Amino acid sequence: MLALLAGLLFSLASGASWRGVRGQESPPGSRFVCTSLPLDAAPSGCPLPPVPMQGGALPSEEELKATVLQLRETILQQKETIGNQRETIRELTSKLSRCESSPGPDGKPGTGGWRKELGKGKDTMGDLPRDPTQVIDQLSRTMQTLKDRLENLEHQLRANVSYAALPNELREMLQRRLGDLERQLLSKVAELEDEKSLLHNETSAHRQKTETALSALLERVSELEKGSSAFKSPDEFKVGLPLRTNYLYGKIKKTLPELYAFTVCLWLRSSASPGIGTPFSYAVPGQANEIVLIEWGNNPIELLINDKVAQLPLFISDGKWHHICITWTTRDGMWEAFQDGEKLGTGENLAPWHPIKPGGVLILGQEQDTVGGRFDATQAFVGEMSQFNIWDRVLKAEDIMNIANCSTNMPGNIIPWVDNNVDVFGGATKWPVETCEERLLDL
């Protein structure tokens, strides 16, 4: 089988070389017939073409050069042909090797696999005849079929290459594709620009809302910082006025509305004599003595409303904490005085039918001769005070008792006692205090 393959390959190479040297093609309908030769035999059946001679003499140098160039061209052509057919030869070699090692139906190697491998399921060659001449003819036809297939493949390859090399069609196709891509890209860029614009508008609106919320929050924090209490509870503090001067005082930031009744309650501790001075005063434009609580010299404690006077039966100059409440109503000018939860006195005709004027100034510890000023040191309060609250109604006696014995906490609805509502001036102090506990210590 190997000898048969060698003869086959040698015949192909010799036939191709013959055509290349002579420059002639084999006549139509012709085919190659390969004869099996021994490995050591001379290829007498495929003689080399004779070198042309002139007059039986050796060829000249020019003829030799022409022959060499012609052979070189032939070699290049054969090299290209061999390269194109190399894969086919390699495949045939592999298949022949497998067929050589595969046993046939008669038990001999190299027979059964021949038709199977070459045909791959198709009986390409049919049953091989037993006659060697017929076998050679069959092989020749098979090789011619393979050669035709190779030529068809080369033709298709050249056709594909020529089609791909058309520059105008390729350029038009590329331009169409590029145009489509450009339109898609411009559309996408336009969409992104629209989204960017919408996002910018939404971001601006969101930023404005956020800035507004932050501004409101900062204002609220500032208010809390300004009004934050340094004490455990915003109402657990006292104002201390240690000296009788005309410059120590406290001031209530809020003012009073127009009132037709009121209740004023506060805790006091004073041992000054004679008289405790002025615990608080309320002045309005045109009337410095709109509301005043004062004990001046050896006089009893007095309540002034619109410069009208009522003497109160209160006694608080013993240096101990006392809870004081005073009620008043414009109807008939009725008033009541409470000390430590007990009502000690009542009266009427104190500025009857006079409403308390709004927009005035509330001062702790000084009596005002003008609105917010012209204090007199002889009328100043000396001591401590806490829980100064004002309501716009007359509290019940029961409520006043509960406040005095610390069983309830009722901040004033008009003026509550809170840290951020009281300012001190001239050396007056604010200290933490729990009034009820200090009162128990005084008992």
Side-chain angles (χ1 to χ4, degrees), residues 372-385:
R374 286 185 64 183
F375 306 142
D376 186 352
T378 61
Q379 298 175 339
F381 173 81
V382 179
E384 298 172 331
M385 67 178 66

Side-chain angles (χ1 to χ4, degrees), residues 305-306 308 328-334 348-355:
I305 295 179
N306 193 29
K308 306 299 187 291
W328 174 87
T329 177
T330 186
R331 183 177 180 179
D332 296 330
M334 294 291 296
E348 60 182 9
N349 203 31
L350 177 60
W353 313 111
H354 169 76

Side-chain angles (χ1 to χ4, degrees), residues 258-263 327-331 334 354-356 390-394 414:
E258 186 177 47
L259 297 176
Y260 299 92
F262 67 79
T263 299
T327 69
W328 174 87
T329 177
T330 186
R331 183 177 180 179
M334 294 291 296
H354 169 76
I356 303 300
I390 300 180
W391 294 262
D392 60 353
R393 66 185 185 277
V394 175
I414 300 299

Side-chain angles (χ1 to χ4, degrees), residues 70-145:
Q70 186 176 8
L71 290 175
R72 181 179 298 173
E73 183 179 357
T74 303
I75 291 172
L76 293 176
Q77 294 177 357
Q78 293 305 313
K79 182 177 181 181
E80 181 179 1
T81 303
I82 291 172
N84 292 332
Q85 297 179 354
R86 184 177 297 167
E87 292 298 328
T88 303
I89 294 172
R90 185 181 295 111
E91 182 180 0
L92 288 174
T93 303
S94 175
K95 290 181 178 181
L96 289 174
S97 298
R98 289 196 295 271
C99 290
E100 193 174 41
S101 60
S102 176
D106 54 357
K108 297 181 180 180
T111 306
W114 180 263
R115 290 187 302 273
K116 182 179 179 181
E117 290 295 330
L118 287 179
K120 289 290 184 180
K122 296 180 181 180
D123 196 2
T124 306
M125 298 177 62
D127 295 331
L128 291 178
R130 302 289 182 176
D131 188 7
T133 303
Q134 295 180 1
V135 171
I136 293 173
D137 292 339
Q138 189 71 30
L139 288 175
S140 298
R141 287 192 297 270
T142 302
M143 293 301 297
Q144 185 64 34
T145 301

